[in-house]
Every structure is written in structure tokens, then in C-alpha cells.
């Protein structure tokens, strides 16, 4: 199991617009392709205007094939400009759990 942690720094004042776009349309397109969503968060204290979403995959190959399929979906291609213009910076990390930690159960979406 691997975890992809995606952090987006949004333009000032654009968090509500981003969340509205993702919750009303984006997540419905992503979810069938990407599978197990661990969580989708926004910052309220500390560095502001940040969105963090965490996805779980069986492997790097699983992630690659799922993301490639999403990138080919015409609905996703049409949706992307709605959020890309709201994002200042993007960071992506792949995390592997230590073997003594059980994968999370419940609480995630998908």
C-alpha cells in the first residue's frame, strides 16, 4: 500500500470556489478512477489557502494506471481548467507506511 499526498496552495480568496468545484463535479469524476480516498482537507490555522487530499493505492503501478485512465476521461479534461486557474502551487508526495502500522480502516471515502 502507498499513499499519495497532494497539497495545493490556492490563490488568496479562492478556497470556497475550489471546494465548490471539486465537491459539485470534480470528485465525482475522480473517485471511480482513483479509488480509495483517505481524506480531503483544507487549512484553517497555519499556512492558509492549502488543500490536502490523500489517496491510497496498492502500488506505484496501480497509481500510475489509475491516474492515466483519469487523464483520458473527457469529463476530467473539461473540468481541469475550472480548478487549475485557482491553484498557485502544487506538491505531490508518495508515502509508504512502516510495516508495523496497519492501514487505516473506515473514515476514508471509496
Amino acid at each position: 500500500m502507498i499513499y499519495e499526498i497532494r497539497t495545493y496552495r490556492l490563490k488568496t480568496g479562492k478556497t470556497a470556489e475550489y471546494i465548490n468545484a471539486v465537491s459539485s463535479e470534480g470528485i465525482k469524476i475522480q473517485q471511480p478512477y482513483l479509488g480509495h480516498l483517505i481524506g480531503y482537507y483544507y487549512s484553517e490555522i497555519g499556512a492558509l489557502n492549502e488543500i490536502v487530499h490523500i489517496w491510497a493505492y496498492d502500488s506505484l503501478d496501480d497509481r500510475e494506471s489509475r491516474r492515466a485512465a483519469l487523464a483520458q476521461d473527457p469529463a476530467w479534461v473539461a473540468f481541469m481548467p475550472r480548478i487549475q486557474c485557482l491553484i498557485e502551487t502544487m506538491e505531490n508526495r508518495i508515502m509508504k507506511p512502516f510495516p508495523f502500522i496497519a492501514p487505516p480502516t473506515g473514515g476514508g471515502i471509496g
Side-chain angles (χ1 to χ4, degrees):
M1 179 75 55
I2 64 165
Y3 299 90
E4 178 179 30
I5 302 173
R6 299 177 76 89
T7 303
Y8 300 163
R9 171 73 56 100
L10 304 179
K11 294 178 181 177
T12 301
K14 297 297 183 178
T15 301
E17 186 177 346
Y18 177 93
I19 294 299
N20 183 53
V22 170
S23 65
S24 67
E25 186 179 352
I27 201 70
K28 294 172 191 167
I29 302 167
Q30 286 180 294
Q31 189 72 52
Y33 289 102
L34 301 184
H36 191 73
L37 177 61
I38 300 296
Y40 217 110
Y41 311 96
Y42 66 94
S43 60
E44 188 157 315
I45 297 174
L48 299 178
N49 304 309
E50 281 191 352
I51 301 293
V52 175
H53 42 116
I54 304 169
W55 299 86
Y57 300 99
D58 292 336
S59 66
L60 285 172
D61 289 338
D62 179 41
R63 178 198 172 272
E64 184 176 334
S65 65
R66 288 173 177 271
R67 289 238 164 237
L70 175 64
Q72 298 300 311
D73 185 312
W76 183 248
V77 172
F79 173 76
M80 286 299 293
R82 285 188 60 194
I83 59 172
Q84 286 174 328
C85 66
L86 307 174
I87 299 171
E88 230 12 85
T89 63
M90 299 168 56
E91 179 182 334
N92 189 36
R93 292 186 284 162
I94 300 295
M95 306 296 286
K96 293 175 65 174
F98 284 105
F100 57 83
I101 299 296
T105 59
I109 301 171

